[in-house]
Amino acid sequence: MKHVGVAILGLGVVGSGTYEILRDHRQMYQKTQNVDIVVENVLELRKERAIALGISEDKIASSIDTICNNPNVDIVVEVMGGITFAKDFVLKALEAGKTVVTSNKELYCKFSHELEACAKMHNAGLYYEASCVGGVPVIRAQLDNLQGNKILSLLGIVNGTTNYILTKMSALGVSYQEVLKEAQSLGYAEANPTADVEGYDATYKLSILSSLSFGTKVPYTKIYREGITNINQKDISYGKQLGYVLKLLAIGKNNPEGIEVRVHPTFISSSHPLASVNDSYNAVFITGDAVEDVMLYGRGAGKLPTGSAIVGDIIYAATHEKINYSPFKNTMDADPNTNFIKNFSSAYYLRLSVKDEKGVLAKVTSIFSKYNISCEKLIQDINEDKTANLIIITHIAKEYDINQAVEEINKDEACDVEAVIRVN
Amino acid sequence: MKHVGVAILGLGVVGSGTYEILRDHRQMYQKTQNVDIVVENVLELRKERAIALGISEDKIASSIDTICNNPNVDIVVEVMGGITFAKDFVLKALEAGKTVVTSNKELYCKFSHELEACAKMHNAGLYYEASCVGGVPVIRAQLDNLQGNKILSLLGIVNGTTNYILTKMSALGVSYQEVLKEAQSLGYAEANPTADVEGYDATYKLSILSSLSFGTKVPYTKIYREGITNINQKDISYGKQLGYVLKLLAIGKNNPEGIEVRVHPTFISSSHPLASVNDSYNAVFITGDAVEDVMLYGRGAGKLPTGSAIVGDIIYAATHEKINYSPFKNTMDADPNTNFIKNFSSAYYLRLSVKDEKGVLAKVTSIFSKYNISCEKLIQDINEDKTANLIIITHIAKEYDINQAVEEINKDEACDVEAVIRVN
């Protein structure tokens, strides 16, 4: 039986989950996978965490070098998070010829070109299934299942915190601030929630996933990003009336004219499979030219679900000869031949506050037609104070045209565009 | 670049889809996978099919032996269906050391023990992702992603024809016979629909999937099976009122007391992710002890979606050294140590037609309590003809107890159990 020694860097939530899974399933893996996986080292400054897990003191390494020099360690699991130490440690492990398994989306997104070059040079494996959508196989599905397809698009709900907040806002009719507070007290949102609510986390994941999907490097810097902090309850509620659900979507499209990548709040039809992905669940909806639509759904984060992805990668690395490097040229920047579309096409939801007076609607629609925007649906909702809410769903329009039309409408005293939300 | 020669046995729907995908993506695979995949042979009696696809006559083999003797053929794709010739041809290919990729669920389900033994003996690969749920990676997810988990249960909508019929019956309020006819005229159901509507097809797939999930052979003969031919529109409609959707579910559970495997019409809560899997879409909902719930969703059949799975396997086989044989002892029969639970536990939906007279309800409930059955919900719906429909949802009860209670109730002239549907 093959012996595989593992070192875990960081015994936070995912690290301790990984340890527990490996410990509790050791005999199962001996039987089903014919491998004996043993945690040989952990790197964790707070020793009490290791001791609480029953890890003997001699396995607690004092530095990354101890681990790199330990001949019994074959695979290094990086679940520390952050990018400073994590990057340094991962590079050291790869240089020592250790295979690395990481859950660190920011690290992999920003530095995979460096890490992969180092891994190749030292013939080491580099696995990152746990970086996106917890235990749901969104990475490997692209590497090993859908690789016969040209992937046309991917739509993802890839951040649990924002999906939890939007689900609660929709279900309870309460404000963003109120739900955020509750999510923080439940531990579903960080004390500093910026990375999640402003869409950075989703951007890292979209970069990783769309590079795989489209077979070319999609740096996160190319991704249009908008968070959920300005979402107003009103819009969720008007959206519902119109048959839409609001989600923070990560969107990647491989159009004939180029690649379109964006993360922003998006209305989707309530009959779309992604519409019923609620709470902290995540899903990725992939369309390939052969497979058509595929959706992969599950827990996007958490101790054991993310640990499941880490352990899946450990076993894969232990039982497969071939190392899966990126099936595209993994450079820091995008291939100069790749065109990224900024002026993309979409339908739009607009909410305007207008004075309830003659001619206002005519003004709005004339500006729309100037910019080639046409309305598919329109609701006028008159308030008591002689103003009205005008809710418009446009046909497909160009992003730049919408921006210009909004700017022009806002110049008029009688009209104020209060919300612009893309509709997929 | 590695050259991979493929032979396709059968140019029906899936065979021609596979051919088209390989032909149209050849350059992409050279670039992304570093393999050149060429169809070297096809075996198809109706030569016009090959010619219509632009396959040159010299590639049309006259027998399986030609293919087995062709040194340029590395991988044989079996997409003929049926089990007589298919088994013979697959065994010959394996004996010749060719790797086999098949979409044939009946063949794999019934004979995988023989095929795998032959493959091992000749060091040949054997891949069957396309046998279950089209291009959705339900097989490989278990082999390469969720392998760190003990799988606790799987629930699958794995047959497109029956899901189409049930979706239409629910949406349009029409009878089984009416929808079946329409499905046949649209090509969604076969002229002889038995394999689908009686649940045999789902049984083959559940056998394959649950063997992988539970790490032990689950022969299809151990699976309780009930089709959808007796489903009455009334029950779909009462179920809706109670918040349920009716699906033909393939259910596998790995209980501490043993394995429970069954295919039958099942009510599931309308908020369950499987409830919105409609039309000919399929999905498998897997629960693991680490990953929690994962759902894999997509087209369960069709020319290109199934072709996508075939091509995924071809590329996997071409680019991985290791051959994935079953991670369990693949014998014809189940391991004698495996216990299969026949008297399983479930909630039940019952529809009774009763005479609208005093004491009838008391009789029914007293029989229920005799068999330890308690009601969770009860609707009484009085008809004009002095009869009433009694709709009961039970708490969890034992299958044998329900059967006995139903038998006893039916002995009473005043009561008639007209439908028994399990609730998950």
Side-chain angles (χ1 to χ4, degrees):
Chain A
M1 189 178 310
K2 189 173 180 180
H3 174 278
V4 176
V6 170
I8 301 176
L9 312 185
L11 289 177
V13 174
V14 177
S16 47
T18 302
Y19 181 80
E20 286 173 15
I21 297 171
L22 289 174
R23 181 192 63 198
D24 299 344
H25 295 74
R26 184 172 166 188
Q27 286 174 312
M28 187 176 109
Y29 306 151
Q30 290 172 349
K31 198 179 143 203
T32 60
Q33 306 291 331
N34 202 30
V35 285
D36 186 25
I37 304 174
V38 180
V39 176
E40 297 283 353
N41 277 144
V42 296
L43 187 66
E44 172 59 60
L45 294 179
R46 285 148 295 191
K47 282 194 181 181
E48 64 280 9
R49 287 190 174 179
I51 289 158
L53 286 164
I55 298 170
S56 64
E57 289 231 26
D58 60 306
K59 293 202 164 180
I60 308 173
S62 52
S63 78
I64 184 69
D65 298 319
T66 317
I67 289 170
C68 292
N69 293 326
N70 184 346
N72 294 326
V73 171
D74 306 291
I75 296 177
V76 172
V77 173
E78 186 276 304
V79 282
M80 303 157 60
I83 51 174
T84 320
F85 291 110
K87 185 183 170 196
D88 187 29
F89 291 3
V90 165
L91 285 172
K92 281 190 171 165
L94 293 170
E95 280 161 12
K98 314 291 189 196
T99 280
V100 168
V101 174
T102 180
S103 63
N104 194 328
K105 58 230 73 166
E106 186 178 1
L107 177 70
Y108 192 82
C109 164
K110 291 185 175 168
F111 300 105
S112 70
H113 55 287
E114 265 184 71
L115 306 183
E116 198 167 80
C118 181
K120 280 183 182 174
M121 189 180 295
H122 297 90
N123 200 30
L126 179 59
Y127 295 87
Y128 51 99
E129 181 66 68
S131 69
C132 298
V133 196
V136 185
V138 292
I139 307 275
R140 189 144 304 284
Q142 300 212 52
L143 289 169
D144 279 345
N145 302 286
L146 306 178
Q147 78 282 47
N149 288 260
K150 176 171 160 55
I151 303 296
L152 306 174
S153 69
L154 75 93
L155 302 176
I157 295 173
V158 294
N159 179 274
T161 305
T162 49
N163 203 44
Y164 176 84
I165 294 174
L166 293 175
T167 303
K168 289 291 167 205
M169 283 179 73
S170 175
L172 308 175
V174 289
S175 72
Y176 167 75
Q177 286 300 342
E178 216 168 314
V179 183
L180 175 64
K181 249 181 164 170
E182 190 223 348
Q184 284 171 321
S185 74
L186 289 169
Y188 291 167
E190 311 256 358
N192 177 355
T194 309
D196 293 317
V197 298
E198 292 293 3
Y200 291 100
D201 175 80
T203 308
Y204 302 148
K205 291 167 181 166
L206 180 59
S207 159
I208 297 171
L209 293 172
S210 55
S211 298
L212 284 171
S213 288
F214 305 144
T216 190
K217 180 71 174 240
V218 178
Y220 74 102
T221 48
K222 295 287 184 189
I223 299 174
Y224 175 86
R225 180 190 52 73
E226 214 179 281
I228 64 162
T229 53
N230 295 321
I231 292 297
N232 192 311
Q233 178 53 236
K234 269 187 205 166
D235 298 310
I236 292 182
S237 151
Y238 280 125
K240 248 188 215 175
Q241 282 181 43
L242 292 160
Y244 297 117
V245 175
L246 190 69
K247 296 289 178 190
L248 182 70
L249 275 202
I251 300 174
K253 292 186 182 179
N254 194 4
N255 299 320
E257 321 82 60
I259 285 173
E260 196 183 309
V261 270
R262 41 197 173 102
V263 168
H264 52 66
T266 313
F267 276 126
I268 51 174
S269 160
S270 58
S271 65
H272 192 284
L274 286 171
S276 41
V277 176
N278 287 322
D279 301 316
S280 63
Y281 279 92
N282 281 191
V284 174
F285 189 93
I286 300 173
T287 305
D289 66 347
V291 76
E292 299 183 15
D293 298 334
V294 168
M295 186 170 81
L296 309 172
Y297 162 99
R299 288 261 176 232
K303 184 175 176 172
L304 297 179
T306 307
S308 167
I310 296 271
V311 174
D313 274 354
I314 292 173
I315 297 175
Y316 190 96
T319 57
H320 286 74
E321 293 294 320
K322 191 205 162 207
I323 304 170
N324 269 129
Y325 298 119
S326 303
F328 56 88
K329 212 173 157 196
N330 195 354
T331 45
M332 181 168 82
D333 299 315
D335 181 329
N337 295 319
T338 305
N339 185 36
F340 288 91
I341 300 170
K342 287 181 175 175
N343 187 18
F344 53 81
S345 298
S346 176
Y348 290 79
Y349 160 102
L350 296 119
R351 176 168 53 81
L352 288 76
S353 171
V354 298
K355 288 198 178 140
D356 186 19
E357 57 185 41
K358 248 191 176 170
V360 173
L361 188 59
K363 267 190 222 168
V364 171
T365 50
S366 87
I367 294 172
F368 272 14
S369 56
K370 182 172 162 192
Y371 293 104
N372 303 308
I373 300 163
S374 61
C375 297
E376 196 199 320
K377 287 179 199 166
L378 196 148
I379 302 177
Q380 189 164 339
D381 202 0
I382 296 177
N383 301 323
E384 287 173 359
D385 63 352
K386 283 252 161 190
T387 64
N389 288 325
L390 210 59
I391 311 300
I392 296 165
I393 304 286
T394 73
H395 284 289
I396 298 293
K398 287 279 186 188
E399 172 81 2
Y400 289 0
D401 287 336
I402 289 282
N403 292 346
Q404 284 186 282
V406 167
E407 203 178 306
E408 199 162 324
I409 292 169
N410 280 338
K411 279 183 189 152
D412 191 306
E413 281 209 324
C415 313
D416 198 10
V417 180
E418 294 190 331
V420 179
I421 296 175
R422 294 162 195 91
V423 178
N424 195 71
Chain B
M1 189 178 310
K2 189 172 179 178
H3 173 278
V4 176
V6 170
I8 302 176
L9 313 185
L11 289 176
V13 173
V14 177
S16 47
T18 302
Y19 181 80
E20 287 173 16
I21 296 171
L22 290 173
R23 179 192 64 197
D24 299 343
H25 296 73
R26 183 173 168 190
Q27 285 174 312
M28 188 175 106
Y29 305 150
Q30 291 173 349
K31 199 179 141 202
T32 61
Q33 307 290 333
N34 202 30
V35 285
D36 186 25
I37 305 173
V38 180
V39 176
E40 297 284 353
N41 276 144
V42 297
L43 187 67
E44 172 59 60
L45 294 179
R46 285 148 295 191
K47 280 195 182 183
E48 64 282 7
R49 287 190 175 179
I51 289 157
L53 285 164
I55 298 169
S56 63
E57 288 232 25
D58 60 309
K59 293 202 165 182
I60 309 174
S62 52
S63 77
I64 183 69
D65 298 319
T66 318
I67 289 170
C68 292
N69 293 327
N70 183 345
N72 294 327
V73 170
D74 306 292
I75 296 176
V76 172
V77 173
E78 185 276 305
V79 281
M80 302 159 59
I83 51 173
T84 320
F85 292 110
K87 185 183 170 197
D88 188 28
F89 290 4
V90 164
L91 284 172
K92 280 193 172 163
L94 292 169
E95 280 160 12
K98 315 290 189 194
T99 280
V100 168
V101 173
T102 179
S103 64
N104 194 329
K105 58 231 68 167
E106 186 177 1
L107 177 70
Y108 193 82
C109 165
K110 292 185 175 168
F111 300 106
S112 70
H113 55 287
E114 264 185 73
L115 305 183
E116 199 167 78
C118 180
K120 279 182 180 174
M121 188 179 296
H122 298 91
N123 200 29
L126 179 59
Y127 295 87
Y128 51 99
E129 180 65 70
S131 68
C132 299
V133 196
V136 185
V138 292
I139 307 274
R140 191 144 303 283
Q142 300 213 52
L143 290 170
D144 280 345
N145 302 285
L146 306 177
Q147 79 283 46
N149 289 260
K150 175 170 160 56
I151 302 295
L152 306 174
S153 69
L154 74 93
L155 303 175
I157 296 172
V158 293
N159 178 273
T161 305
T162 48
N163 203 43
Y164 176 86
I165 292 174
L166 292 175
T167 303
K168 289 291 168 209
M169 283 178 73
S170 175
L172 308 174
V174 290
S175 73
Y176 167 76
Q177 286 301 341
E178 214 169 314
V179 183
L180 175 64
K181 247 183 164 167
E182 190 223 348
Q184 284 172 321
S185 75
L186 288 169
Y188 291 165
E190 312 257 357
N192 177 357
T194 308
D196 293 317
V197 299
E198 293 293 2
Y200 291 100
D201 174 81
T203 307
Y204 302 148
K205 292 168 181 167
L206 180 59
S207 158
I208 296 172
L209 293 172
S210 56
S211 298
L212 283 171
S213 287
F214 306 144
T216 191
K217 180 71 175 241
V218 178
Y220 74 102
T221 48
K222 296 285 184 189
I223 300 174
Y224 175 86
R225 182 191 48 75
E226 214 180 281
I228 65 163
T229 52
N230 294 321
I231 293 297
N232 192 310
Q233 179 51 238
K234 269 187 206 166
D235 298 308
I236 292 182
S237 151
Y238 280 124
K240 249 190 213 174
Q241 282 179 44
L242 292 160
Y244 297 117
V245 175
L246 189 69
K247 296 290 179 190
L248 181 71
L249 275 202
I251 300 174
K253 293 187 182 176
N254 193 4
N255 298 320
E257 321 82 60
I259 286 173
E260 194 183 310
V261 271
R262 40 197 174 101
V263 167
H264 53 64
T266 312
F267 276 125
I268 51 174
S269 159
S270 58
S271 65
H272 192 285
L274 285 171
S276 40
V277 176
N278 288 322
D279 301 316
S280 64
Y281 279 92
N282 281 191
V284 175
F285 190 91
I286 300 172
T287 305
D289 66 346
V291 77
E292 299 184 13
D293 298 333
V294 168
M295 186 171 81
L296 309 171
Y297 162 100
R299 288 259 175 232
K303 182 176 178 172
L304 297 178
T306 307
S308 167
I310 297 270
V311 173
D313 274 353
I314 292 173
I315 298 176
Y316 190 96
T319 58
H320 287 74
E321 292 295 320
K322 191 202 163 209
I323 303 168
N324 269 129
Y325 298 121
S326 302
F328 57 88
K329 211 171 158 196
N330 196 353
T331 45
M332 182 169 81
D333 298 315
D335 181 330
N337 295 318
T338 305
N339 184 36
F340 288 91
I341 300 170
K342 287 184 177 172
N343 187 18
F344 53 81
S345 298
S346 175
Y348 291 79
Y349 160 103
L350 295 120
R351 176 168 53 82
L352 287 76
S353 172
V354 297
K355 288 198 179 140
D356 186 20
E357 57 187 41
K358 250 190 178 172
V360 172
L361 190 57
K363 267 190 224 165
V364 170
T365 50
S366 87
I367 295 172
F368 272 13
S369 55
K370 182 172 163 192
Y371 292 104
N372 302 309
I373 300 163
S374 61
C375 297
E376 196 199 319
K377 287 179 199 164
L378 196 148
I379 302 176
Q380 188 164 340
D381 204 3
I382 296 177
N383 301 322
E384 286 172 0
D385 62 353
K386 284 252 162 190
T387 65
N389 288 325
L390 209 58
I391 312 300
I392 296 165
I393 304 287
T394 73
H395 284 288
I396 298 293
K398 287 279 186 188
E399 172 82 2
Y400 288 1
D401 287 337
I402 290 282
N403 292 346
Q404 285 186 281
V406 166
E407 202 177 307
E408 200 163 324
I409 292 169
N410 280 339
K411 280 183 189 152
D412 191 305
E413 280 212 321
C415 313
D416 198 10
V417 180
E418 294 191 331
V420 179
I421 297 175
R422 294 162 197 90
V423 178
N424 195 70

